[in-house]
Each structure stands twice: as structure tokens, then as C-alpha cells.
Amino acid sequence: MSNLDDVWSRCSPEELSEFAGRWEDMVTSTQPEELDWLYIAKLPVAALWSKEDAEEYWKEQSLEAAENGMPGMWDALLDEPVFEPIVVGFYGRHENGHDSFSIWDGSHRSAAYAITDRPNISAVIGITKKLDLDELPGLIRPVVAARREELNNCALPTTCR
């Protein structure tokens, strides 16, 4: 675990919620206090993007940046590591069986990881309160379970479990 991971891992759920609150979820109108917050050092990028979807998003965003006089605005992300975790809300599953989540902050960073085949990214994740592990995407289920187990074995308040 890197020093930054160690710092983020020590944040309380309230601190993580406050951090996430800088970007309320505009898509679902979810507020940070509606979710339980965890820091995950290695969130599987494939839980968020397929490589093809990430490439399409990247093309659209790059074109828009170029049209606004900022060509190559995101290109450094393709070569550099991410130091600030992305923020993602996980809400369970839609009736159609698809996972319901929203990237609150870090779409470009996580897309860059998907495009360059980097498998994991650090993330502050919010999970709908009382959501059962079975309702989480399969790729993140073991990561969240391991993190919850780790938290159950430490002195953090029960609100983070």
C-alpha cells in the first residue's frame, strides 16, 4: 500500500462523504449522506468501463476539448498515475439487471486507465445504505467484502462497516 493509500484508508466514512460531497451526483440526484462510504485502493476499472466504451468517451471528450481550444487536454492522464481517488456511487441493480452506478468524479482518469489497460484505480465509493453485497457488480463485490472485513477488524466506528 502506498503512502497515499494509507492516508485515504484512515479516513472516516464522514470524511470520505465530505470529500465526495464536492461532487454531488447530478445524474441520480443522490446526496453523499444517502450512501455508506469506503476507500478502495484497487477498484477494478472493468467494473466501470469496457475498453471500447472508454475509447468512445475519450474521443468525444477530446473532440469537445479541441473545439474549445484545449486540444490534448486529457492526454497526460494516459501516461501518468492518478494520485487522487475517483468518486463512484453504487446503487444496486436496475430492474433490467444492469448495474446502477455513477462516476461522480474521475471519468477521464478512469477512462484513461481502461484505455491503457491499467486494471485498478483508487476510489472513494459510496454504496446505497443497507445494500446487500449480492447487489453490487461482481467485479467489485470481493473488493468491498475484503474492505468491510478489514474495517470490521479495526477501531473505526461501526458506521463505516
Side-chain angles (χ1 to χ4, degrees), residues 48-62:
L48 307 173
W49 295 100
S50 69
K51 186 169 186 168
E52 296 77 24
D53 288 344
E55 288 171 341
E56 182 64 29
Y57 173 78
W58 195 266
K59 285 178 194 173
E60 292 169 6
Q61 291 294 299
S62 295

Side-chain angles (χ1 to χ4, degrees), residues 1-4 9-10 17-18 22 27 39 41 56 63 73-74 81 88 110 118-120 124 136-137 145 160:
M1 188 178 282
S2 75
N3 289 340
L4 283 173
S9 293
R10 292 182 184 181
S17 178
E18 184 176 326
R22 299 186 329 195
V27 176
Y39 171 74
E56 182 64 29
L63 180 60
M73 180 175 178
W74 312 109
V88 185
S110 57
R118 290 177 277 181
N120 302 304
V124 172
L136 288 172
C160 70

Side-chain angles (χ1 to χ4, degrees), residues 95-111:
E95 298 81 36
N96 64 9
H98 290 97
D99 297 322
S100 176
F101 70 92
S102 181
I103 301 173
W104 292 25
D105 179 57
S107 296
H108 296 97
R109 288 173 278 161
S110 57

